Amino acid sequence: MAKINHNNYLDVVDNMWTSAKEKGIMHINSEEQSFNGEKFRIKGRDLINFGTCGYLALETHPDLIAGSIELTKKFGTQLSMSRAYIRPTYIQELEELMSQVFDGNKVICYTSTSNAHISVIATIIKPDDLIILDQQVHFSVQFPCKNAKLLGTEVKMVRHSNYEMLEEMIRENYNKYNRIWYMADGVYSMHGDLPDTTILKQLLDKYPKLHLYFDDAHGMGWAGKNGAGYIYEQLGVNERIVIISTLAKGFGCVGGTAIFADSEMYRRTDIFGGPLSYSHPLSPASAGAAIASAKIHLSNDIYTYQAELRDLMHYMNGCLKEKNLPNISSPDSPIYFIGSGLNKVTRNFVHRILQQGIYVNTATFPVVPNDKSGLRFTLTRHNTKADIELLTDAMAYHLPKAIEEEGDRVERVYQEFGFHLKKKANNSLIKPINNSNLVVEEYTSIHDINPADWDCMFQDRGNISHSGMRAMEEIFSDNEKPEENWSFHYIIVRDKAAKVILATFFTGAIYKDDIVAPENVSKQIEEVRKTDPYYLCSKTLAMGSLFCEGDFIYQDTQHPEWRNSVNCLFDFVSKTKKEIKATTVIFRDFEKENILTQIIEEEGFAKMRMPNTNVIQNPKWETPDDLMTLIKSKKKRDNIKQYAIRNLDKFEIKIKNEITDKEAILYFNLFENVKKANYSYNFFQYPAKMPEILSKYKEWEFIEISLKENNQLVAVVFSYVGDHHYCPLIVGLDYNYIDSHHVYKQAMFQMVKRGNDLNKKITYLGLTADFEKQKYLALTIPTWAYLKVDETYNLELIESYSNVG
């Protein structure tokens, strides 16, 4: 089967961040001509800075500025050569001072923390090691681990700070690997939470093969003796602990550091260390500032600065608690996260705070789950207690207003983040939704819906007519395997006069979370599923089903109550999700211009690319020669002639509506061949009873393709016949004849021919094999789905597979 275009994790990021940029809350250009750390100038206004990570405000310290200027005057702007040839005196001085900061342990300095990770991981990790990544470890750690994976090192992932899962993974793999590396952050950059170093010490004692690798960039400066950071203060370094830190953030300048207690690790990294040797060293300006900062860290001044920041943190924590804001960050770090729920609420909330003259950050999917986005800010010595009061007052005022303005409820948001809402007397923050102008009908079976009503809306949309839905419900009910049993959920919204405004259906089923992942990723995951069949699977509530594709929603967008009917739809989805205990919700399949999609995105759903769909708007033709005259491309005509038309006399074609039990088994086996070979749209196998049940319904037919030479059945097409359309939904193939007899190309020709012979206006050719279908004048239509997940672990784990071909 031909490959299809797939959604990529970066496409989701691009879509979410582009939307945030358009709303003026990310990728903002500042206008200040100088910066003292206190304020940004944006669109002609000064905004108080609660967004940078210079926790100790050292970037504006006069000693760092003087040191940078002094070394630039002495050594110029750069030394354009590798340190493998020459290590300049200022780099030697800096590394000696940094070694003193870390109690004499060996230190290597880099141009960035990212380069430090690339260098160290590539040098110290071996193919017989196992890497276990914390789900939220910084991307700069995950990226070089992908390269290590390419070289043969096994890389796994555990849920964020889930130490039970970590220990279980250590136990399961303990005898398979020489060393096991757990890689995590010292302070997590989104929620400011800290690892449990007590548990990690216990695991180190219990498992001698365990090694710890920490990115403590956000812990440097404001924590620990000499400002050496949170992890160094708690764990130190030894032969089994490596710390990568930073010269940026709390340290006040630019660059990264690697701290070693193991002399051999240090030696090997210092000798080569990847980008350490093939890229430039720190510039004299950066090194001069870093040297000055190191001297401050080795003086008593560092403890004064730390104390000042701790005092501000204590004051901030008190204000947040007093104002009952949903702060889900650790009180022991200067990173804060105020939960606001849906992406649209967060954007509204952040925009309001920016308008108040305060700069803060936005945190949305895919960095955090769709419904758990929030406002992120940092605290530095640049801030004052007056700034803190201004920020917390503004957040307390604007958060409920942003929530209500976007149609959510304050109580629900607080519950989502585990907070209790304190109501104000005579000023309830909760507004009940009451729309007496609409009647909402909910059903769990198509049998309870009037066939004429349903078919009026969905008769010619693929196989989702009333009869099509009856067949679908019968196939996916009363089966042994959980994944073969689906729940069905229908909603019809009418006005008082019983006129339908909106109607659709959803199915609840177990989905493979890699359903639209690249084929090589799904192949890897399927290897794990041989022993763990529900690995990376989620209970999913999805519009439509995996047994159909197309437009699943009827909308009267001109009706004055249409927007309210959409609100009813979201309420229905939210309620149904809870009832079936789903963790994922998907709206699909939408073409580009659908009016509903903007609203879906505003509800916090992430847009993702689906496989294209292919549709032939049938031009009538009588003979294959007539068809050839309609196809303008000579190359396409020649291909169809060579592989399909010239082989017509080799095949016996039969159209059947009813089949025997034996034929049902043969048909399913042929379909199973295709399912096993095709990972491009990865879902669980359909129940084996499917062909038998479809043969009971008059709308379904089977195109049977056999070889005349030996009467061998080599292909079958399961098709739904509508009043005005033809929908070949399922193809089964004998792969022994794919190359010799080109049976897939023959099946494609017979699908197109059958739609033409039945004089249907449209033939729906479905997903995948776009190029093959375009030969027959099919329009390839891009489609999108919209995804919301309760938590991002599975998505991130799937992304971690993506670098292996």
Side-chain angles (χ1 to χ4, degrees):
M1 298 293 287
K3 291 186 177 181
I4 60 177
N5 293 322
H6 286 283
N7 169 63
N8 185 281
Y9 186 81
L10 293 179
D11 293 334
V12 177
V13 176
D14 176 55
N15 181 67
M16 300 300 290
W17 287 13
T18 298
S19 178
K21 179 180 179 180
E22 290 170 352
K23 294 182 183 298
I25 58 175
M26 287 184 68
H27 290 275
I28 302 169
N29 293 324
S30 66
E31 301 161 350
E32 64 278 351
Q33 299 303 304
S34 63
F35 183 61
N36 64 4
E38 296 176 5
K39 293 183 179 180
F40 288 111
R41 189 160 186 81
I42 298 172
K43 294 183 178 179
R45 300 171 62 235
D46 288 331
L47 274 63
I48 299 170
N49 170 27
F50 276 99
T52 57
C53 299
Y55 303 114
L56 296 183
L58 294 180
E59 64 270 20
T60 58
H61 195 288
D63 289 359
L64 272 70
I65 296 171
S68 179
I69 294 171
E70 179 183 357
L71 283 198
T72 302
K73 289 180 176 179
K74 286 183 176 180
F75 295 99
T77 58
Q78 66 159 338
L79 178 65
S80 183
M81 67 185 307
S82 164
R83 65 178 277 160
Y85 296 117
I86 292 289
R87 185 169 60 149
T89 57
Y90 49 85
I91 298 296
Q92 296 174 50
E93 181 183 1
L94 173 59
E95 290 182 344
E96 288 167 2
L97 286 168
M98 292 304 298
S99 178
Q100 293 178 42
V101 170
F102 290 97
D103 296 324
N105 289 290
K106 294 292 188 178
V107 176
I108 299 175
C109 293
Y110 293 83
T111 53
S112 70
T113 308
S114 294
N115 269 342
H117 288 306
I118 294 170
S119 169
V120 175
I121 289 174
T123 304
I124 69 175
I125 300 299
K126 307 299 181 186
D128 58 355
D129 289 348
L130 169 65
I131 295 174
I132 302 175
L133 298 172
D134 183 277
Q135 174 189 352
Q136 291 187 16
V137 69
H138 199 270
F139 180 77
S140 61
V141 178
Q142 296 188 41
F143 180 76
C145 287
K146 291 190 173 189
N147 292 331
K149 191 173 182 180
L150 286 171
L151 297 175
T153 302
E154 185 76 13
V155 180
K156 297 179 182 290
M157 183 179 287
V158 292
R159 295 183 186 277
H160 176 50
S161 294
N162 188 323
Y163 300 108
E164 291 181 2
M165 187 177 182
L166 172 61
E167 184 170 13
E168 181 182 354
M169 195 172 287
I170 293 170
R171 283 200 307 266
E172 289 177 353
N173 295 278
Y174 199 72
N175 295 323
K176 300 177 185 178
Y177 300 95
N178 181 42
R179 298 178 300 181
I180 298 175
W181 291 88
Y182 175 56
M183 297 190 176
D185 284 3
V187 180
Y188 288 93
S189 60
M190 192 53 51
H191 295 139
D193 53 312
L194 311 170
D196 192 324
T197 54
T198 300
I199 293 178
L200 291 173
K201 287 177 184 176
Q202 294 170 355
L203 292 176
L204 280 173
D205 292 339
K206 189 173 181 179
Y207 300 102
K209 287 186 179 181
L210 178 63
H211 293 63
L212 302 180
Y213 181 100
F214 276 102
D215 178 333
D216 199 28
H218 284 278
M220 186 70 181
W222 62 268
K225 175 190 172 186
N226 299 333
Y230 177 78
I231 289 298
Y232 188 78
E233 178 74 8
Q234 298 294 316
L235 296 174
V237 293
N238 57 44
E239 289 78 4
R240 293 165 58 202
I241 300 176
V242 173
I243 297 176
I244 306 298
S245 193
T246 189
L247 301 176
K249 298 182 172 63
F251 206 78
C253 42
V254 172
T257 57
I259 301 98
F260 302 93
D262 187 301
S263 59
E264 180 60 14
M265 283 186 190
Y266 166 77
R267 186 195 67 79
R268 287 176 60 85
T269 307
D270 187 51
I271 283 292
F272 175 64
L276 186 68
S277 297
Y278 60 68
S279 63
H280 291 180
L282 281 167
S283 69
S286 297
I291 288 169
S293 183
K295 290 177 179 178
I296 291 172
H297 279 67
L298 290 168
S299 73
N300 288 327
D301 288 347
I302 191 66
Y303 304 113
T304 300
Y305 300 151
Q306 288 178 342
E308 290 173 358
L309 182 61
R310 279 197 303 271
D311 181 54
L312 291 172
M313 289 164 57
H314 178 75
Y315 193 75
M316 175 66 78
N317 294 336
C319 289
L320 292 173
K321 185 176 181 180
E322 176 190 349
K323 307 252 182 336
N324 193 36
L325 285 160
N327 170 31
I328 64 170
S329 45
S330 168
D332 299 319
S333 83
I335 299 171
Y336 294 86
F337 187 101
I338 307 301
S340 49
L342 300 174
N343 286 350
K344 64 177 182 178
V345 174
T346 296
R347 290 168 181 167
N348 187 319
F349 185 27
V350 170
H351 179 74
R352 285 169 170 269
I353 301 303
L354 293 176
Q355 291 300 110
Q356 289 293 116
I358 305 169
Y359 177 77
V360 291
N361 302 143
T362 306
T364 60
F365 183 85
V367 179
V368 295
N370 311 67
D371 282 351
K372 292 187 177 179
S373 67
L375 180 154
R376 174 189 180 272
F377 66 91
T378 53
L379 189 61
T380 73
R381 284 180 57 250
H382 292 301
N383 300 124
T384 66
K385 290 182 178 179
D387 294 339
I388 291 171
E389 291 173 1
L390 186 64
L391 172 61
T392 53
D393 283 345
M395 292 192 297
Y397 177 80
H398 286 288
L399 176 58
K401 291 191 175 296
I403 293 171
E404 291 181 340
E405 190 170 283
E406 298 299 338
D408 205 345
R409 295 183 299 114
V410 180
E411 184 178 55
R412 189 206 70 80
V413 172
Y414 272 63
Q415 289 174 347
E416 184 73 30
F417 290 98
F419 280 77
H420 175 68
L421 176 64
K422 297 176 183 176
K423 301 177 186 177
K424 297 180 181 179
N426 300 320
N427 187 25
S428 173
L429 294 176
I430 305 169
K431 294 182 178 179
I433 297 174
N434 182 20
N435 193 327
S436 59
N437 293 324
L438 300 177
V439 177
V440 179
E441 302 172 6
E442 299 179 11
Y443 306 93
T444 56
S445 174
I446 193 69
H447 292 277
D448 297 327
I449 301 175
N450 182 280
D453 287 352
W454 186 262
D455 285 344
C456 182
M457 297 179 286
F458 296 108
Q459 174 66 41
D460 273 303
R461 299 196 191 190
N463 62 311
I464 61 171
S465 67
H466 200 276
S467 172
M469 295 308 303
R470 293 200 305 272
M472 201 183 308
E473 286 188 11
E474 189 173 351
I475 292 169
F476 295 97
S477 300
D478 302 319
N479 299 302
E480 290 184 7
K481 296 180 180 179
E483 66 270 22
E484 294 179 358
N485 292 299
W486 300 353
S487 59
F488 290 79
H489 310 273
Y490 303 84
I491 178 173
I492 300 174
V493 183
R494 303 177 188 267
D495 63 14
K496 284 185 175 181
K499 178 177 174 57
V500 176
I501 306 172
L502 179 150
T504 186
F505 77 99
F506 287 74
T507 48
I510 300 174
Y511 272 46
K512 296 180 177 182
D513 292 327
D514 56 306
I515 185 170
V516 291
E519 289 186 67
N520 71 303
V521 169
S522 288
K523 287 179 181 178
Q524 297 172 68
I525 295 171
E526 288 300 332
E527 286 299 310
V528 182
R529 290 189 180 127
K530 289 178 179 178
T531 55
D532 184 1
Y534 302 110
Y535 176 66
L536 290 179
C537 295
S538 298
K539 185 63 176 292
T540 299
L541 180 67
M543 177 180 278
S545 82
L546 292 174
F547 196 71
C548 54
E549 55 95 13
D551 186 359
F552 303 121
I553 186 166
Y554 172 86
Q555 304 176 81
D556 181 355
T557 57
Q558 301 305 310
H559 196 288
E561 293 290 341
W562 172 77
R563 187 61 180 83
N564 285 329
S565 76
V566 174
N567 292 337
C568 294
L569 172 63
F570 288 125
D571 289 342
F572 168 78
V573 169
S574 178
K575 178 174 67 71
T576 305
K577 173 180 177 287
K578 292 178 182 177
E579 289 174 352
I580 68 171
K581 298 180 180 179
T583 58
T584 300
V585 176
I586 300 174
F587 282 80
R588 55 171 285 245
D589 300 327
F590 290 96
E591 297 178 19
K592 188 174 183 180
E593 301 302 327
N594 194 294
I595 190 173
L596 184 58
T597 56
Q598 182 179 351
I599 300 173
I600 294 174
E601 284 190 74
E602 289 173 352
E603 286 294 316
F605 287 79
K607 183 179 181 181
M608 66 179 190
R609 191 75 159 82
M610 291 290 286
N612 297 322
T613 189
N614 295 272
V615 178
I616 296 178
Q617 296 176 340
N618 289 335
K620 183 63 179 172
W621 47 275
E622 298 297 332
T623 68
D625 287 341
D626 293 338
L627 172 63
M628 293 301 99
T629 62
L630 296 172
I631 299 172
K632 303 305 180 184
S633 167
K634 182 178 184 301
K635 187 175 181 180
K636 292 178 180 178
R637 292 197 305 269
D638 290 345
N639 185 276
I640 295 172
K641 288 178 182 177
Q642 180 179 354
Y643 295 112
I645 295 175
R646 289 177 184 173
N647 293 320
L648 283 173
D649 60 351
K650 296 180 181 179
F651 297 98
E652 179 76 25
I653 311 299
K654 296 179 181 178
I655 308 298
K656 297 185 175 182
N657 294 102
E658 297 180 1
I659 58 176
T660 66
D661 291 346
K662 182 179 179 181
E663 287 171 333
I665 294 172
L666 290 174
Y667 289 2
F668 187 82
N669 289 341
L670 289 175
F671 165 64
E672 196 170 32
N673 292 338
V674 176
K675 182 68 181 68
K676 288 179 179 178
N678 189 2
Y679 294 93
S680 61
Y681 193 52
N682 199 27
F683 54 91
F684 282 105
Q685 178 62 285
Y686 297 147
K689 66 184 183 182
M690 172 190 63
E692 176 189 354
I693 290 174
L694 292 181
S695 71
K696 293 162 52 178
Y697 291 83
K698 63 181 179 62
E699 292 86 359
W700 284 92
E701 68 174 27
F702 306 88
I703 304 174
E704 186 181 278
I705 304 173
S706 302
L707 294 179
K708 289 182 178 179
E709 62 190 64
N710 58 8
N711 205 34
Q712 174 70 40
L713 177 65
V714 294
V716 65
V717 181
F718 302 47
S719 302
Y720 181 90
V721 184
D723 287 349
H724 303 289
H725 75 284
Y726 188 65
C727 182
L729 187 72
I730 295 168
V731 178
L733 302 170
D734 186 334
Y735 278 78
N736 293 320
Y737 297 89
I738 287 287
D739 295 326
S740 61
H741 289 71
H742 308 291
V743 295
Y744 178 68
K745 292 178 182 290
Q746 186 62 222
M748 180 63 64
F749 176 81
Q750 294 299 333
M751 293 182 220
V752 175
K753 181 177 182 297
R754 182 62 176 164
N756 175 77
D757 291 348
L758 291 172
N759 202 28
K760 300 302 180 183
K761 294 179 180 179
I762 294 176
T763 297
Y764 294 103
L765 291 181
L767 313 178
T768 79
D770 296 350
F771 182 71
E772 194 66 33
K773 294 167 183 176
Q774 289 167 1
K775 296 174 185 175
Y776 291 93
L777 307 178
L779 299 175
T780 296
I781 303 170
T783 63
W784 283 266
Y786 294 82
L787 173 74
K788 183 182 285 188
V789 295
D790 282 358
E791 60 98 22
T792 60
Y793 173 74
N794 282 10
L795 298 181
E796 292 171 13
L797 187 53
I798 289 168
E799 176 66 15
S800 74
Y801 281 92
S802 65
N803 63 307
V804 178

